């Protein structure tokens, strides 16, 4: 609700207009230049061209990539099935590392094309998007602190002083899972929560309670829709929220995993997933901010589970 409210009030995508590329008709493909034909046949996934009988060039791309990768491990002996699996895994990792190394070049090309054809207006909209996301995350953090103030014995300022190490580590490592031990130690040693409450919120909740990621993905979908002039109805926005919540589960352990799961959110309401690349330019910073809110959300759950009355471990064991 917070993410949708801020996105609909500020409307960062309306600060600029990005024209959607016109779809190319099938009968026009013969008039395309060789470079355009080559770009159209570059595989968008590893297994995609294998199911398309007409995309022979895509199959050749994949075959050449795996062939070059296999040359790096050609001297490794194969004696059993385990060696085959390990060899396939090593080759797949090699190809994926090549793709990761090409991502900055692809993002640079997309941003350069947008600026060259649309001007600097989209960058202005991107600044408004950053402001909107930060505003929504601050409101989310305020909501957490209000719930902690009235739903537990912990005082918000005391809590922030006690868990500042966990919040700083969440921002620096960009991973809620990597922050779990620090979060648990801060809640039990510095804040004084019971181990049961701290473990449920900090350890279990870090894999399921990712409010910051869900908020960001919902706002990103609305931002791209506003940027390309595609109206999302109330029902579609509800689908965005539901899909964002589902997609955010289990993404806490992987830095910038929100960009991967965002394809599910975009596909749910028919948004073009190629515009996700525009968000890569600012995602490295916003991902750290939303990871911090994810950890603060886990802390919020732990405090609420501990209740309004402070109970020590000894008295709880005697009870």
């Amino acid at each position: 609700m917070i993410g949708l409210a801020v996105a609909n009030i500020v409307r960062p995508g309306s600060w600029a207009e990005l024209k959607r590329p016109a779809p190319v008709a099938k009968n026009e493909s013969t008039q395309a230049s060789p470079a355009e034909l080559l770009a159209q046949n570059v595989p968008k996934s590893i297994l995609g061209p294998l199911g398309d009988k007409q995309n022979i060039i895509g199959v050749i791309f994949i075959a050449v990539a795996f062939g070059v990768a296999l040359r790096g491990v050609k001297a490794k002996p194969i004696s059993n099935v385990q060696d085959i699996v390990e060899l396939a895994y090593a080759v797949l990792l090699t190809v994926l590392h090549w793709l990761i190394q090409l991502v900055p070049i692809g993002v640079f090309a997309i941003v350069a094309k947008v600026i060259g054809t649309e001007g600097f207006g989209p960058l202005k909209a991107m600044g408004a998007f950053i402001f909107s996301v930060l505003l929504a995350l601050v409101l989310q953090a305020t909501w957490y602190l209000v719930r902690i103030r009235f739903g537990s014995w912990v005082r918000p300022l005391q809590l922030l002083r006690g868990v500042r190490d966990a919040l700083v580590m969440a921002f620096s490592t960009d991973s809620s899972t990597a922050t779990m031990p620090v979060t648990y130690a801060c809640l039990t040693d510095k804040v004084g929560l019971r181990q049961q409450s701290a473990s449920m919120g900090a350890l279990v909740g870090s894999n399921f309670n990712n409010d910051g990621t869900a908020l960001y993905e919902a706002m990103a979908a609305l931002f791209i829709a506003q940027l390309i002039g595609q109206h999302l109805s109330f029902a579609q926005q509800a689908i965005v929220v539901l899909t964002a919540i589902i997609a955010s589960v289990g993404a806490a352990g992987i830095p910038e995993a929100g960009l991967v799961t965002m394809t599910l959110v975009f596909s749910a309401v028919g948004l073009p997933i190629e515009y996700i690349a525009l968000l890569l330019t600012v995602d490295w910073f916003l991902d750290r901010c939303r990871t911090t809110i994810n950890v603060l959300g886990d802390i919020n759950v732990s405090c609420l589970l501990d209740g309004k009355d402070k109970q020590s471990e000894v008295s709880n064991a005697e009870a």
Side-chain angles (χ1 to χ4, degrees):
M1 291 178 61
I2 292 176
L4 290 182
V6 174
N8 283 287
I9 293 175
V10 180
R11 296 188 61 82
S14 62
W15 291 42
E17 183 179 355
L18 194 64
K19 297 180 181 178
R20 298 184 61 172
V24 179
K26 294 184 178 180
N27 55 2
E28 296 179 0
S29 59
T30 56
Q31 302 176 0
S33 63
E36 293 175 345
L37 289 175
L38 182 64
Q40 293 174 6
N41 286 278
V42 172
K44 296 179 175 60
S45 63
I46 294 179
L47 299 179
L50 302 181
D52 188 358
K53 297 181 180 180
Q54 298 180 353
N55 192 2
I56 305 300
I57 299 179
V59 177
I60 295 175
F61 266 111
I62 295 176
V64 171
F66 277 89
V68 174
L70 278 170
R71 288 185 60 84
V73 291
K74 61 181 180 179
K76 185 177 180 179
I78 299 177
S79 58
N80 49 43
V81 177
Q82 182 179 352
D83 293 337
I84 298 176
V85 174
E86 291 178 352
L87 177 64
Y89 180 68
V91 171
L92 181 61
L93 283 183
T94 302
V95 175
L96 291 179
H97 285 162
W98 292 342
L99 296 178
I100 293 174
Q101 292 172 358
L102 291 174
V103 165
I105 301 176
V107 173
F108 173 79
I110 292 176
V111 174
K113 178 182 178 181
V114 171
I115 294 178
T117 57
E118 307 289 342
F120 289 94
L123 294 184
K124 181 181 178 181
M126 195 67 70
F129 175 66
I130 296 175
F131 169 77
S132 302
V133 172
L134 293 180
L135 175 61
L137 293 178
V138 169
L139 293 177
Q140 184 75 12
T142 303
W143 167 242
Y144 286 150
L145 297 178
V146 170
R147 293 184 66 189
I148 292 171
R149 173 63 180 84
F150 294 101
S152 71
W153 60 268
V154 184
R155 294 298 174 260
L157 293 180
Q158 172 194 355
L159 176 70
L160 292 178
R161 285 194 295 265
V163 300
R164 58 186 176 185
D165 292 342
L167 298 179
V168 171
M169 185 172 181
F171 185 86
S172 58
T173 61
D174 193 16
S175 174
S176 300
T177 304
T179 315
M180 279 195 305
V182 180
T183 306
Y184 179 78
C186 289
L187 290 175
T188 54
D189 300 338
K190 297 183 178 180
V191 180
L193 297 184
R194 291 177 295 133
Q195 292 183 1
Q196 295 91 332
S197 304
S199 61
M200 179 62 71
L203 304 183
V204 180
S206 63
N207 292 315
F208 298 96
N209 184 35
N210 303 316
D211 294 340
T213 302
L215 180 148
Y216 172 77
E217 292 184 352
M219 293 190 66
L222 264 69
F223 168 70
I224 295 299
Q226 295 167 1
L227 193 64
I228 63 177
Q230 180 174 336
H231 174 71
L232 294 182
S233 63
F234 178 80
Q236 288 178 314
Q237 294 187 23
I239 294 175
V240 166
V241 172
L242 180 61
T243 312
I245 294 174
I246 297 174
S248 65
V249 174
I254 308 172
E256 299 189 26
L259 286 175
V260 180
T261 58
M262 199 178 296
T263 57
L264 177 63
V265 180
F266 277 48
S267 301
V269 290
L271 289 174
I273 61 176
E274 57 266 22
Y275 288 102
I276 296 178
L278 291 176
L279 302 176
L280 278 170
T281 56
V282 297
D283 188 76
W284 65 272
F285 170 69
L286 294 179
D287 190 26
R288 283 159 171 75
C289 296
R290 65 178 184 260
T291 301
T292 306
I293 297 301
N294 288 342
V295 174
L296 187 59
D298 302 335
I299 294 170
N300 162 69
V301 173
S302 298
C303 293
L304 294 178
L305 289 175
D306 215 55
K308 295 184 177 181
D309 298 325
K310 184 176 182 180
Q311 300 179 8
S312 63
E313 296 289 344
V314 177
S315 61
N316 183 62
E318 292 177 352

